[in-house]
Amino acid sequence: MFTIIDLVQPNNLDEAYQILSDKRNNTILGGCAFLKMGKKRINTGVDLTNLKLSYIQERDNFIEIGAMTSLRELETHPLLKEYYNGVLPQSVRDIIGVQFRNGVTVGASVYSKYGFSDLITALLCLDTEVELFKAGRMPLADFLTMPKAKDILVRLWIKKTLRQAIYLSFRSSASDYSVLNVAVSKLDNHWTIAVGARPSKAAIAVSASAMLSQEVLTLEEIEEIAQKASEELSFGTNQRGTATYRKALCKALVKRGIMEVLPCKSN
Amino acid sequence: MQIELTINEKAVKWEVAFDELLADTLRSHGFLSIKTACDTSCCGLCTVWIDGKSRLSCSILSLQAHGKKITTIEGLPKEAEEFAQILSAEGAEQCGFCSPGFIMSVLAMKNELVNPSEEEIIHYLTGNLCRCTGYMGQLRAIKTFLGVA
Amino acid sequence: MKSVGHSIRKIDGMAIATGKPVYTEDLAMDNALVVKILRSPHAYAKIRSIDLSKAESLEGVECILTYKDVPNVRFTLAGQSYPEPSPYDRLILDQIVRYVGDEVAIIAAVDEKTAQLAMKRIKVEYEVMEPVLDFEQAIGHSSIVHPEEDLSCNFEIGLNKEKNIASSYHEEVGDVEEELKRCAVVVEDVYYPQAQAHTMMETYRAFSYLDHTGRLIVVSSTQVPFHIRRQLARALQIPASKIRVIKPRIGGGFGGKQTGAGDVFAALVTLKTGKPALIIYDRKETFTCTTSRHAMRLRVKLGADQDGIIRAIDMQVLSDTGAYGEHAPTVLGCVGHYTLPLYNKTRAVRFDGHAVYTNKMPAGAFRGYGATQGTFALESIVNKLAERLKLDPTEIRLKNISKVGETFLTGQGVMLGSTSLDQCIVRGKELIGWDEKFPRREVGPNKVRAVGMAITMQGSGIANIGTASAEIRLNDDGNFTLLTGATDMGTGCDTILSQMAAEILEIPMEIIIVNAGDTDTSPYDPGSYASSTTYVAGTAVVKAAEELKSKILAQSAAFLGVSREDVELNGLAVRTLSGDQEISFAKLAELTILGTGKLQLVGYATHGSEVSPPPYVAGFAEVEVDRETGKVDLIDYVAVIDCGTVINPNLARIQAEGGIAQGIGMALYEQVRYDELGKMATNTFMQYKIPTRKDVGKVRIEFEVSYEPTGPFGAKSIGEVVANTPPPAISHAIYNAVGVRENHLPITPEKVFLGMQK
Ligand SMILES: Cc1cc2nc3c(=O)[nH]c(=O)nc-3n(C[C@H](O)[C@H](O)[C@H](O)COP(=O)(O)OP(=O)(O)OC[C@H]3O[C@@H](n4cnc5c(N)ncnc54)[C@H](O)[C@@H]3O)c2cc1C
Ligand code: FES
Ligand code: FES
């Protein structure tokens, strides 16, 4: 169990960041589900509750999601069901249970760059940007490869497009972590294949995504592309599966993802 | 630190430690319906409502409940009794340890979903583990309760 | 019948469902000391030194106890009737620690934080030794898990500690080798059922205090209050008469709570300090420092003639009992006892087994108790035999199963008193749609569905060992009190036993008070295990109720001035057969108990059975397997059950559904795993996945009633037998779907996938 010596609920981000950077052991608190499992000794816990960051907003060109938004809101929000073929609600629905998702936050889920993450994989196949208090706004893919620095994830910006996407996760049992997860999306002829829980963090299969940008696809071509995706990405072994198995799953899931996106109308 | 919150419609001021979890605070104030069965937010036994939404009381700092409205099964005697009658008529409260949290989820579901299908019911309640019953009896009870048999 | 056979609501149902404070922790005193255990980080080590100075000086630390502070008498935590077959191989705290998690020191403090802090400040130096981690390497390993001289057994259990053998068992009837030679077909294989965690939702816990006479009171979440009392008496070296064990409502057991856990630590603290003490195992301790199902290796050989009549069975079993031998000999024996009698056309059977010590968490009692592991092996090999002979798996069972009045080779002449297993198989076949679905159907690109099946048996109580007593009193106000030692752990036996009493006494259940699970007031009962409660304790209740009924009739007749033959029960009264005179129970109570009555009417009985009649299940699984990923979805599970007369259909159904779900977990998802240093990797619900409601598919239960002549109202047992069929039936279905025979449980998608690549 973690310990917290002091706790603050700042009223603005400047203050929050100030306190966060004050001491090495000062820590942002999201829903605390992950933090509480650790043994971390937190000097000052910075609770973002008062910053009004729990919202999902439609803007002209973007959908904006505040860091303190719960995964359950993501799952049930009408806007997100409507956009991108509902890929975001789909991606989080198997994480533990409703009362769990009511508590855990989007900000923590993205900021932590968990390898097993369902949400990051889905976000990665969309045009997602991350806004950090200090480092500013950047594409999610850049954020994922950036070295970890103390910062506050403030919100996500997802470009509002007619992108159609599919999310598939493979779990050994219903509420377990993914052994592998895959998101495939298509906007006009631009495809993106993202693969997560490899078990390292999600990445885009760049070459395979590029190969997809043809008009008509035969089953053989799709299988070839899926094969390509499984070859260009690296896979590792952990308790939930071996690298070999993950590679095979990647091929199977990418193939299914492509076949499911194909019939979706993006205009 | 002192927090102010509403527990089962009653305003209270409680002294809590910074790293105290709501489940422990509730039990120490006599809300003994709160059961916990894990340290990893996986079992759902500790489910309460915070501002009307089901939450894991083991996974929220008591301080984060400041200013909020908490409901435990003690605060819903009528609704809980109504469902518990059906559940126990089905024999589906075996050891009963998971029941309070389960009932809080079922009642939250009743408020949130209209005419849920079997699949929706199962999805909504996946976060409530039960080792005794195998879940089938609970499902029968819910269907009777919601009149969706 | 008015009570028996009806789905009566559990008498404690509403209280437990709505969260009333009726469990151990709810009842503990607020000022109880918090007890925490410092545990070994090493799989096998000797304690060189322990420095408590920095911990003891902390304010709020009440006491810290080490191996130097405990009685030097070995005991067993196994909750079994005296003389326990499990070896006396543990001390409360020992200088040698035998697995990661073994107890090193007991800390008692005013609150949890202080206890945790004190724990961190204890400095222990260990001499680390080479652990025995692979149970297949245990015999003859250079490390000896129990080198101590004072390890003892109550009787010969085949213990050979130099070889790390906790127990050996051999049983042979006929000449197996010869018989196998004569068989037209012989099939063999090796099976590995895994260690499985009970994961009852209420973890292990107990609190203790001294009462007004200085006696030690232990309130414990246990299945075996009387055994806990005896265990504490031996471990703490105090007379049993100085101990009272009370069992409140308990949040699940599944056999886990047939083995003692924290009781002895809390009790020791109370004895040392005179203060109330509370111990609660957290989930991690429950996973890593209690018991699990025994992991086993079973080599099975089966010989049959051309028509599929099984003539010879050979079973060689290696069982991993872990660091201590709780239930080691009995679980081992039960592997054979609860499988070999299924098929009695055999001419020779042989069982040869060893339970070995390793430096891992001890195994213990777990619902199914060896039958689960044995069933997985035997039923899997029978399915293999059926395939070899091109016989329908259901047909081969129908040809071979035992019938009423028959005996079996290892059964010492005991005749089978009841079975409807044949009907269970026929009905299960219908329900699952066997004839249309066997063996497989393609249902889409890369998706195939298939069915599989298995049968199983268990016992009902332990013949000639398990005895239960019951007492029923007519109270001063005309109500009744039923006193039993039976231990309701959510299973509903308080309800079921009062249903039986109500049936005999022809009274409504509401006027029966049940008093159970308290060693001071309850008549002796071994506890809730071995599927004994309904069958053994039930019979005791029936006998006690009959005795009381006869006393009520006789006494009433005397008061009415007629002969015993001229009266009968009539509602809450006794009346003459002619109907012109009547005396109410209330009046009878008044006349017998109050004033000059001088004889409270009491019925009392002790019952033990010379037989342990088997309940049966025929289990059928339908799975869908994804050819590209190896994912197995359980679509449908049908279990048709013969538990004799069903005393309470709803409670029996829930028992069955819950047992099947545990079996499904064992078949597909659950496994206790260790790292290379012997540290358990699956110590949370995050890493050890029990089935959620999305993982169990649809489970359907039906009963095929039989009548067991030795059971109360014809009943047998149901609690354990229901856990056994899923592993072999699901494994069979997967084989039928994609041709992968996976003998290592659980059958994960990756194993299926790799199997398909071969
Ligand atoms: C048992 C369990 C199972 C899970 N299974 C899955 C799964 O299958 N799939 C999946 O995708 N996820 C899973 N998760 C992860 C979960 O979805 C959340 O992502 C995780 O719990 C973190 O959310 P939280 O709000 O609880 O964060 P916290 O525990 O509060 O914080 C986690 C980390 O993020 C930091 N942090 C929080 N908010 C911010 C912010 N705004 N800016 C910067 N840093 C911040 C914290 O300082 C901390 O280091 C699981 C978690 C648990 C506990
Ligand atoms: S106690 Fe298990 S989820 Fe809260
Ligand atoms: S009834 Fe025991 S855990 Fe659900």
Side-chain angles (χ1 to χ4, degrees):
Chain A
M1 171 78 196
F2 66 150
T3 37
I4 302 179
I5 318 284
D6 193 10
L7 186 139
V8 290
Q9 299 186 315
N11 292 317
N12 61 62
L13 278 163
D14 289 298
E15 198 188 325
Y17 184 75
Q18 191 53 49
I19 302 167
L20 177 66
S21 5
D22 260 2
K23 281 218 178 81
R24 204 170 56 86
N25 284 349
N26 292 1
T27 305
I28 303 286
L29 308 179
C32 286
F34 229 82
L35 277 173
K36 76 162 261 212
M37 293 195 301
K39 291 213 162 66
K40 193 163 178 173
R41 212 177 142 75
I42 296 171
N43 202 28
T44 302
V46 185
D47 178 17
L48 307 182
T49 312
N50 291 347
L51 300 184
K52 305 204 167 48
L53 287 176
S54 173
Y55 66 89
I56 298 173
Q57 267 288 343
E58 184 166 13
R59 307 270 178 229
D60 284 351
N61 297 317
F62 287 92
I63 292 174
E64 194 186 317
I65 303 174
M68 291 300 281
T69 308
S70 75
L71 295 193
R72 177 70 179 162
E73 283 163 67
L74 215 62
E75 180 186 0
T76 52
H77 201 282
L79 194 62
L80 297 180
K81 284 189 183 162
E82 184 190 323
Y83 273 86
Y84 325 117
N85 198 33
V87 74
L88 293 179
Q90 187 63 31
S91 72
V92 296
R93 74 191 299 273
D94 286 329
I95 304 176
I96 304 288
V98 167
Q99 60 275 65
F100 177 89
R101 296 194 294 280
N102 270 331
V104 299
T105 58
V106 168
S109 299
V110 175
Y111 181 82
S112 304
K113 303 182 190 175
Y114 301 118
F116 53 74
S117 180
D118 293 291
L119 180 58
I120 290 178
T121 306
L123 287 169
L124 199 55
C125 86
L126 305 178
D127 310 283
T128 306
E129 287 172 277
V130 170
E131 182 185 325
L132 297 163
F133 178 77
K134 190 77 200 310
R137 201 164 143 174
M138 67 187 79
L140 173 62
D142 294 355
F143 170 70
L144 290 178
T145 51
M146 198 172 87
K148 240 189 174 157
K150 239 185 185 186
D151 209 333
I152 302 173
L153 195 154
V154 184
R155 56 182 66 84
L156 303 176
W157 300 85
I158 310 174
K159 200 169 192 183
K160 236 165 58 181
T161 60
L162 295 173
R163 196 175 270 281
Q164 294 299 303
I166 285 290
Y167 179 80
L168 299 168
S169 72
F170 186 88
R171 295 171 138 84
S172 294
S173 64
S175 71
D176 200 358
Y177 291 107
S178 303
V179 182
L180 193 92
N181 54 47
V182 164
V184 179
S185 74
K186 170 176 178 273
L187 177 65
D188 304 326
N189 260 347
H190 298 288
W191 289 72
T192 306
I193 301 169
V195 182
R198 302 177 294 118
S200 55
K201 63 179 179 266
I204 293 175
V206 182
S207 314
S209 301
M211 281 167 73
L212 268 170
S213 304
Q214 299 169 7
E215 253 326 300
V216 196
L217 288 163
T218 64
L219 184 59
E220 288 71 40
E221 283 165 339
I222 293 174
E223 279 181 344
E224 195 186 316
I225 292 165
Q227 175 72 28
K228 177 75 197 165
S230 74
E231 280 164 7
E232 71 177 284
L233 295 169
S234 63
F235 300 94
T237 295
N238 69 359
Q239 281 195 39
R240 287 182 170 68
T242 61
T244 321
Y245 184 48
R246 285 197 160 95
K247 188 168 174 182
L249 283 179
C250 178
K251 190 179 161 193
L253 296 193
V254 168
K255 180 180 105 183
R256 283 175 199 184
I258 297 170
M259 290 177 44
E260 285 185 41
V261 173
L262 267 180
C264 297
K265 278 265 178 293
S266 49
N267 41 27
Chain B
M1 205 176 120
Q2 198 179 58
I3 53 169
E4 291 177 31
L5 47 81
T6 312
I7 169 88
N8 298 333
E9 307 291 337
K10 197 173 143 220
V12 292
K13 286 183 191 164
W14 287 342
E15 198 58 44
V16 297
F18 288 114
D19 48 12
E20 195 169 319
L21 297 169
L22 183 60
D24 298 327
T25 307
L26 288 172
R27 274 197 74 90
S28 71
H29 285 92
F31 296 90
L32 298 180
S33 72
I34 309 296
K35 307 283 187 264
T36 55
C38 75
D39 307 309
T40 52
S41 316
C42 292
C43 73
L45 264 74
C46 62
T47 303
V48 299
W49 295 353
I50 300 183
D51 290 341
K53 283 196 175 135
S54 63
R55 290 286 295 270
L56 299 173
S57 62
C58 74
S59 301
I60 174 170
L61 294 173
S62 303
L63 274 161
Q64 292 177 312
H66 175 70
K68 303 225 152 72
K69 204 175 141 220
I70 315 290
T71 313
T72 70
I73 199 170
E74 284 96 343
L76 299 170
K78 211 174 117 269
E79 298 86 336
E81 156 114 16
E82 190 197 346
F83 179 62
Q85 288 283 358
I86 298 171
L87 189 70
S88 66
E90 193 60 61
E93 76 320 350
Q94 197 180 99
C95 78
F97 209 65
C98 69
S99 298
F102 172 67
I103 291 180
M104 290 307 283
S105 286
V106 169
L107 297 178
M109 174 176 75
K110 190 175 182 226
N111 291 339
E112 195 175 330
L113 306 184
V114 186
N115 263 329
S117 65
E118 182 171 312
E119 207 187 325
E120 287 168 321
I121 294 171
I122 290 173
H123 177 69
Y124 197 96
L125 299 169
T126 304
N128 287 91
L129 297 181
C130 172
R131 187 57 154 171
C132 298
T133 67
Y135 305 113
M136 302 296 140
Q138 293 183 342
L139 185 62
R140 289 191 291 272
I142 292 166
K143 287 179 167 178
T144 309
F145 179 57
L146 299 180
V148 297
Chain C
M1 288 191 285
K2 284 211 170 102
S3 296
V4 164
H6 296 276
S7 290
I8 291 168
R9 185 195 302 278
K10 283 205 313 222
I11 57 179
D12 52 355
M14 288 304 289
I16 62 174
T18 56
K20 296 295 180 301
V22 291
Y23 299 86
T24 303
E25 187 188 3
D26 305 333
L27 304 174
M29 294 137 179
D30 283 341
N31 64 344
L33 295 173
V34 174
V35 181
K36 291 276 159 198
I37 307 293
L38 173 68
R39 298 178 176 280
S40 167
H42 305 293
Y44 194 29
K46 191 170 180 181
I47 297 171
R48 275 215 197 103
S49 67
I50 306 185
D51 179 0
L52 303 178
S53 55
K54 292 222 169 62
E56 278 176 335
S57 59
L58 263 180
E59 183 168 335
V61 172
E62 195 72 26
C63 73
I64 302 182
L65 307 168
T66 70
Y67 70 91
K68 294 170 189 152
D69 306 305
V70 303
N72 195 21
V73 178
R74 292 195 183 265
F75 66 104
T76 176
L77 286 173
Q80 298 180 299
S81 295
Y82 184 80
E84 303 95 332
S86 297
Y88 290 159
D89 59 6
R90 64 161 80 224
L91 296 169
I92 300 175
L93 298 170
D94 201 340
Q95 193 177 3
I96 295 181
V97 285
R98 296 182 175 78
Y99 70 101
V100 176
D102 210 352
E103 295 85 9
V104 173
I106 305 166
I107 300 143
V110 290
D111 58 28
E112 167 123 18
K113 273 200 164 150
T114 310
Q116 296 283 12
L117 191 58
M119 192 188 306
K120 276 196 199 135
R121 293 197 180 178
I122 298 175
K123 292 278 166 286
V124 188
E125 256 189 83
Y126 296 96
E127 176 186 331
V128 178
M129 302 184 281
E130 164 84 14
V132 183
L133 295 178
D134 179 352
F135 78 112
E136 296 186 80
Q137 305 295 326
I139 298 177
H141 196 284
S142 56
S143 288
I144 293 167
V145 180
H146 282 275
E148 67 274 12
E149 287 305 312
D150 56 345
L151 183 159
S152 67
C153 303
N154 283 315
F155 45 83
E156 181 54 44
I157 57 167
L159 182 137
N160 181 346
K161 64 185 163 77
E162 279 69 35
K163 287 187 143 174
N164 286 323
I165 295 174
S167 172
S168 311
Y169 184 68
H170 185 86
E171 190 173 17
E172 188 168 0
V173 182
D175 188 333
V176 168
E177 298 297 341
E178 271 311 304
E179 201 52 48
L180 283 171
K181 277 184 207 151
R182 275 198 284 270
C183 285
V185 272
V186 175
V187 282
E188 64 175 302
D189 217 330
V190 190
Y191 298 91
Y192 288 85
Q194 80 279 40
Q196 183 185 22
H198 306 85
T199 69
M200 66 295 283
M201 285 296 141
E202 184 200 33
T203 58
Y204 297 81
R205 52 198 62 198
F207 81 93
S208 52
Y209 59 95
L210 300 179
D211 76 359
H212 56 286
T213 64
R215 289 170 76 224
L216 174 69
I217 316 298
V218 179
V219 179
S220 174
S221 178
T222 180
Q223 293 171 227
V224 285
F226 283 92
H227 294 335
I228 294 292
R229 182 173 68 168
R230 177 163 25 81
Q231 192 174 94
L232 289 174
R234 181 175 168 93
L236 299 166
Q237 292 290 294
I238 58 175
S241 62
K242 294 275 181 223
I243 306 172
R244 173 183 183 186
V245 177
I246 300 169
K247 176 223 64 109
R249 296 297 96 192
I250 80 177
F254 314 117
K257 292 175 182 171
Q258 195 197 337
T259 303
D263 321 86
V264 69
F265 307 121
L268 185 62
V269 166
T270 292
L271 289 185
K272 295 269 180 189
T273 62
K275 296 184 180 174
L278 169 67
I279 189 163
I280 296 182
Y281 277 25
D282 63 20
R283 182 55 64 187
K284 190 170 156 204
E285 284 176 300
T286 298
F287 268 117
T288 58
C289 313
T290 58
T291 54
S292 69
R293 196 186 285 290
H294 290 77
M296 291 187 190
R297 178 189 72 199
L298 303 99
R299 288 182 206 284
V300 200
K301 216 183 246 187
L302 209 63
D305 63 23
Q306 201 55 53
D307 304 324
I309 304 295
I310 298 166
R311 294 304 185 189
I313 305 176
D314 186 23
M315 248 190 201
Q316 292 175 35
V317 179
L318 188 72
S319 169
D320 184 354
T321 193
Y324 299 96
E326 273 89 20
H327 303 275
T330 34
V331 167
L332 179 65
C334 285
V335 172
H337 295 161
Y338 294 148
T339 52
L340 298 175
L342 265 177
Y343 303 112
N344 70 339
K345 314 291 177 280
T346 44
R347 295 190 177 126
V349 296
R350 181 169 64 189
F351 180 93
D352 193 55
H354 299 290
V356 294
Y357 284 123
T358 56
N359 292 110
K360 290 185 290 184
M361 182 174 85
F366 192 144
R367 190 184 211 170
Y369 208 81
T372 314
Q373 294 94 324
T375 300
F376 174 56
L378 181 66
E379 287 304 282
S380 295
I381 199 90
V382 170
N383 284 329
K384 200 169 171 178
L385 176 71
E387 191 192 30
R388 178 74 65 80
L389 287 166
K390 300 199 168 49
L391 279 173
D392 186 291
T394 59
E395 291 307 317
I396 200 164
R397 264 95 183 179
L398 289 169
K399 278 180 180 216
N400 282 287
I401 55 177
S402 309
K403 307 252 159 39
V404 171
E406 293 180 353
T407 59
F408 56 95
L409 281 186
T410 52
Q412 274 130 18
V414 170
M415 282 192 297
L416 185 58
S418 62
T419 173
S420 60
L421 179 57
D422 51 347
Q423 289 143 262
C424 293
I425 295 171
V426 171
R427 180 68 185 138
K429 236 178 124 166
E430 262 170 42
L431 285 169
I432 200 89
W434 185 264
D435 291 336
E436 308 86 74
K437 294 176 178 169
F438 179 76
R440 87 184 60 81
R441 295 165 303 147
E442 300 290 331
V443 291
N446 296 310
K447 295 261 166 113
V448 54
R449 283 194 182 189
V451 289
M453 62 99 47
I455 60 173
T456 189
M457 61 174 279
Q458 196 85 31
S460 304
I462 308 176
N464 302 311
I465 291 177
T467 4
S469 300
E471 180 178 329
I472 308 178
R473 302 179 190 145
L474 174 61
N475 294 328
D476 57 338
D477 54 2
N479 290 329
F480 295 81
T481 297
L482 165 64
L483 295 116
T484 103
T487 316
D488 196 329
M489 49 170 161
T491 44
C493 68
D494 287 354
T495 307
I496 284 165
L497 295 176
S498 45
Q499 272 178 272
M500 293 188 193
E503 190 66 47
I504 302 284
L505 292 164
E506 299 174 34
I507 53 177
M509 276 179 58
E510 296 76 62
I511 66 165
I512 302 178
I513 299 158
V514 183
N515 179 302
D518 179 338
T519 58
D520 265 14
T521 58
S522 306
Y524 177 78
D525 189 290
S528 270
Y529 64 92
S531 297
S532 55
T533 304
T534 301
Y535 179 73
V536 184
T539 305
V541 168
V542 167
K543 286 181 172 174
E546 271 164 354
E547 183 181 293
L548 178 58
K549 177 176 166 181
S550 135
K551 284 185 181 173
I552 287 172
L553 290 174
Q555 192 59 49
S556 301
F559 283 134
L560 296 174
V562 296
S563 84
R564 163 75 177 74
E565 287 70 41
D566 289 333
V567 291
E568 63 182 4
L569 293 178
N570 177 37
L572 301 178
V574 175
R575 70 170 173 198
T576 52
L577 291 182
S578 56
D580 50 8
Q581 281 195 82
E582 189 173 276
I583 178 168
S584 69
F585 287 168
K587 188 70 191 168
L588 179 65
E590 184 188 322
L591 295 175
T592 49
I593 300 169
L594 306 176
T596 56
K598 297 197 183 75
L599 86 158
Q600 178 163 16
L601 299 182
V602 176
Y604 191 89
T606 298
H607 177 73
S609 178
E610 281 157 22
V611 293
S612 175
Y616 294 102
V617 176
F620 294 79
E622 182 178 10
V623 300
E624 181 173 298
V625 184
D626 184 328
R627 280 220 180 85
E628 281 184 320
T629 64
K631 178 87 175 114
V632 176
D633 284 319
L634 183 63
I635 304 296
D636 193 8
Y637 201 95
V638 167
V640 187
I641 301 167
D642 164 20
C643 58
T645 298
V646 187
I647 304 286
N648 184 321
N650 273 359
L651 297 187
R653 179 177 307 279
I654 296 291
Q655 275 286 330
E657 290 168 347
I660 300 285
Q662 267 177 343
I664 292 170
M666 183 169 175
L668 295 174
Y669 311 114
E670 300 177 33
Q671 180 172 27
V672 175
R673 266 181 284 121
Y674 293 85
D675 70 12
E676 59 286 357
L677 296 174
K679 186 165 173 278
M680 197 186 289
T682 46
N683 58 12
T684 62
F685 279 132
M686 198 166 66
Q687 305 301 356
Y688 185 96
K689 300 309 280 188
I690 65 168
T692 68
R693 64 192 77 227
K694 276 186 188 160
D695 295 306
V696 289
K698 182 167 73 177
V699 176
R700 295 188 285 156
I701 306 294
E702 276 201 13
F703 296 97
E704 279 293 336
V705 171
S706 69
Y707 190 91
E708 171 53 43
T710 64
F713 305 99
K716 298 189 276 191
S717 76
I718 188 162
E720 293 185 274
V721 71
V722 288
N724 302 338
T725 58
I730 291 172
S731 158
H732 186 213
I734 293 170
Y735 173 74
N736 288 333
V738 292
V740 175
R741 238 189 254 287
E742 180 51 61
N743 293 351
H744 289 76
L745 296 177
I747 310 177
T748 60
E750 178 158 5
K751 290 181 192 167
V752 177
F753 177 82
L754 291 177
M756 287 188 296
Q757 305 305 300
K758 283 191 190 133

